[in-house]
């Protein structure tokens, strides 16, 4: 993860990668990949028939009827978002904070990106009133807002947008004529799926939403890049699908043949895949809850994690102690915590938050152990938090933040 310019902390050009699960690759996936390794032919741009059919089945099991001519696949969600942004034109709106990889691709195309505040209870979708005000301001200044990118289950905040928040966002966007891209990469990583209502904006606005899912969220290792996009019905969806395929063709953005075979297998959700996904989600949910508890007891602010493999924390209450250590902004916080914790700690500026805000995303993957054996043990243990290596990792995080809390209390001016 490249550091930003130390002089003035210039524009962040590259964000951190998706939080990895840190687990060994599922053997059945490895077998499928190995069996396809001898393929000499290239996967078609946009995906071959087997992959497209598997994607259709994946979405149909989630209540979104889909046909192959409305699906496109690419080597990761960034390639698909780049193609969509280029095809749709205009200025781009995103929530603040948002996934680190959303904004750079718009900037690469020379498109302005406008961040919109999120509601207090979740990330991933803009507050509807803030969205309306931002659209009005951008248009008054001569801009052309056309695309709004949202997420159902959010990176970096690890929260799930409740149906009412999503509905209000979609209603506001519809009134302003915006097109929506719904990033649903983390949809299948809900920590309490039976207690959480999952609603895609494609269910609310079927003719103006493209759904993008990166399989690195739950189904494939991040080193095997593959993602799928679902386009709406009708002439608008057909035309957008064709333009996206043109752009992917110009970029040479194809999925490697063996990876496409593994992706089709994973999207089919056979028993080995669903069992592994369930076990991995449960494991990371436990570790994320424990990590959130450590951060909360140290006095930081963060919403309880509901999805994914990460926690997003605001360390503003520890600013006094951090200032003593030379930490005054998110980049300095990133550098400081990466050394103290011994793991990546991307600052909030990577996700569109202000540089001066002391926010950080911490992932659960690095807490599962340093070897494949330790990480595999986490996956099979009925009590992973009691494993010695996990306890040591959490204790180390606790000691770092407890020290900061104690320092903040010691240096707090008397009232």
């Amino acid at each position: 993860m490249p550091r930003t310019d130390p002089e003035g902390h210039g524009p962040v050009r590259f964000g951190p990668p998706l939080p990895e699960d840190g687990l060994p690759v599922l053997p059945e996936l490895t077998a499928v990949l190995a069996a396809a390794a001898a393929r000499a032919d290239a996967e078609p741009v946009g995906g071959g028939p087997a992959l497209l059919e598997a994607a259709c089945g994946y979405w149909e099991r989630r209540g979104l009827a889909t046909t192959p001519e409305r699906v496109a696949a690419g080597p990761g969600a960034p390639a698909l978002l780049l193609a969509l942004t280029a095809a749709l034109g205009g200025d781009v709106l995103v929530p603040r904070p948002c996934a680190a990889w959303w904004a750079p691709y718009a900037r690469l195309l020379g498109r302005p990106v406008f961040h919109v505040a999120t509601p207090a209870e979740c990330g991933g979708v803009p507050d509807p009133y803030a969205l309306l005000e931002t659209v009005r301001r951008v248009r008054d200044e001569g801009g052309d807002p056309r695309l709004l990118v949202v997420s159902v289950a959010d990176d970096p905040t690890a929260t799930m947008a409740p149906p009412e928040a999503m509905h209000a966002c979609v209603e506001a966007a519809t009134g302003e004529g915006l097109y929506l891209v719904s990033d649903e990469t983390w949809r299948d990583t809900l920590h309490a799926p039976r207690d959480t209502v999952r609603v895609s904006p494609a269910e609310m606005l079927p003719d103006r939403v493209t759904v993008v899912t990166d399989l690195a969220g739950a189904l494939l290792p991040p080193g095997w890049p593959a993602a799928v996009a679902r386009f709406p019905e009708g002439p608008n969806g057909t035309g957008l699908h064709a333009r996206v395929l043109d752009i992917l063709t110009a970029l040479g953005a194809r999925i490697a043949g063996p990876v496409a075979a593994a992706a089709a297998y994973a999207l089919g959700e056979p028993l080995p895949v669903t069992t592994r996904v369930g076990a991995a989600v449960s494991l990371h949910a436990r570790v994320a809850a424990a990590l959130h508890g450590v951060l909360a007891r140290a006095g930081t602010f963060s919403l309880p994690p509901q999805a994914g493999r990460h926690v997003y924390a605001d360390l503003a209450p520890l600013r006094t102690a951090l200032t003593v250590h030379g930490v005054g902004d998110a980049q300095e916080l990133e550098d400081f915590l990466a050394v103290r914790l011994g793991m990546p700690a991307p600052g909030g500026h990577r996700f569109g938050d202000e540089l001066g805000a002391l926010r950080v995303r911490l992932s659960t993957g690095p807490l599962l152990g340093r070897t494949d054996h330790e990480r595999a043990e986490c996956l099979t243990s009925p009590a992973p938090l009691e494993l010695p290596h996990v306890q040591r990792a959490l204790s180390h995080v606790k000691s770092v933040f407890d020290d900061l809390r104690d320092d903040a209390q010691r240096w707090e001016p008397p009232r």
Side-chain angles (χ1 to χ4, degrees):
M1 186 173 66
R3 192 190 193 283
T4 50
D5 180 7
E7 294 185 8
H9 304 313
V12 177
R13 287 178 167 79
F14 303 100
L18 295 177
E20 298 185 13
D21 69 3
L23 299 171
V25 179
L26 181 68
E28 287 81 357
L29 278 177
T30 302
V32 172
L33 186 83
R39 282 182 51 177
D41 57 316
E43 185 77 1
V45 171
L51 179 55
L52 300 184
E53 288 287 354
C56 290
Y58 170 86
W59 275 309
E60 285 170 2
R61 290 188 293 275
R62 287 152 181 79
L64 292 173
T66 309
T67 53
E69 61 271 14
R70 293 165 52 206
V71 179
L80 294 175
L81 183 59
L82 174 65
L84 282 162
T85 305
L88 288 164
D91 302 342
V92 180
L93 299 153
V94 297
R96 168 171 282 156
C98 70
W101 55 272
W102 289 358
Y105 295 94
R107 295 193 183 107
L108 180 66
L109 295 168
R111 303 282 169 75
V113 179
F114 298 94
H115 291 267
V116 187
T118 55
E121 70 270 22
C122 70
V125 298
D127 175 88
Y129 298 104
L131 176 61
L132 293 173
E133 174 58 24
T134 302
V135 170
R136 181 199 62 77
R137 175 175 56 81
V138 171
R139 286 179 176 152
D140 286 348
E141 294 174 355
D144 182 21
R146 294 190 201 175
L147 170 60
L148 171 64
V149 187
V150 300
S151 58
V152 174
D154 188 43
D155 172 20
T157 66
T159 58
M160 183 80 182
E164 56 272 19
M166 183 63 75
H167 185 271
C169 166
V170 169
E171 191 173 58
T174 302
E176 296 300 328
L178 301 178
Y179 193 91
L180 275 74
V181 169
S182 178
D183 175 13
E184 301 189 8
T185 294
W186 301 103
R187 177 191 173 106
D188 296 326
T189 66
L190 294 191
H191 297 175
R194 295 182 180 178
D195 301 327
T196 309
V197 179
R198 286 174 279 197
V199 179
S200 169
E203 300 174 58
M204 302 177 179
L205 190 64
D207 61 337
R208 291 188 66 80
V209 178
T210 292
V211 176
V212 174
T213 299
D214 196 307
L215 274 59
L219 297 175
L220 287 182
W224 302 3
V228 286
R230 176 193 181 271
F231 295 81
E233 292 181 348
N236 290 337
T238 301
L240 179 59
H241 179 264
R243 293 196 298 277
V244 165
L245 287 181
D246 284 344
I247 295 165
L248 293 176
T249 300
L251 295 172
R254 303 169 186 262
I255 301 178
V259 173
Y265 174 78
L267 284 166
E269 297 182 293
L271 183 59
V273 170
T274 56
T275 301
R276 163 57 75 87
V277 170
V281 170
S282 177
L283 168 61
H284 284 283
R286 294 184 190 186
V287 179
L291 178 59
H292 177 262
V294 167
L295 296 171
R297 287 188 290 274
T300 71
F301 299 139
S302 62
L303 293 170
Q306 297 174 290
R309 306 185 280 262
H310 48 284
V311 176
Y312 196 61
D314 186 343
L315 275 59
L318 305 178
R319 184 178 289 275
T320 302
L322 288 165
T323 300
V324 173
H325 292 286
V327 175
D329 63 29
Q331 179 63 65
E332 291 166 347
L333 178 64
E334 175 182 300
D335 295 341
F336 174 79
L337 288 179
V339 172
R340 289 294 181 97
L341 297 175
M343 58 187 271
H349 62 305
R350 306 267 184 183
F351 308 100
D353 266 330
E354 296 293 339
L355 181 64
L358 296 177
R359 297 186 182 126
V360 64
R361 186 191 73 185
L362 298 178
S363 300
T364 52
L367 304 176
L368 302 183
R370 297 182 179 276
T371 67
D372 284 344
H373 174 74
E374 288 180 343
R375 292 188 284 265
E377 191 178 7
C378 289
L379 194 60
T380 57
S381 172
L385 297 181
E386 297 177 11
L387 293 172
H389 57 275
V390 176
Q391 287 187 335
R392 285 194 300 271
L394 287 169
S395 295
H396 177 58
V397 175
K398 180 178 183 299
S399 68
V400 170
F401 281 94
D402 282 353
D403 287 347
L404 290 172
R405 179 201 60 200
D406 294 344
D407 288 345
Q409 292 172 349
R410 184 180 310 117
W411 293 319
E412 185 176 299
R415 295 180 181 178

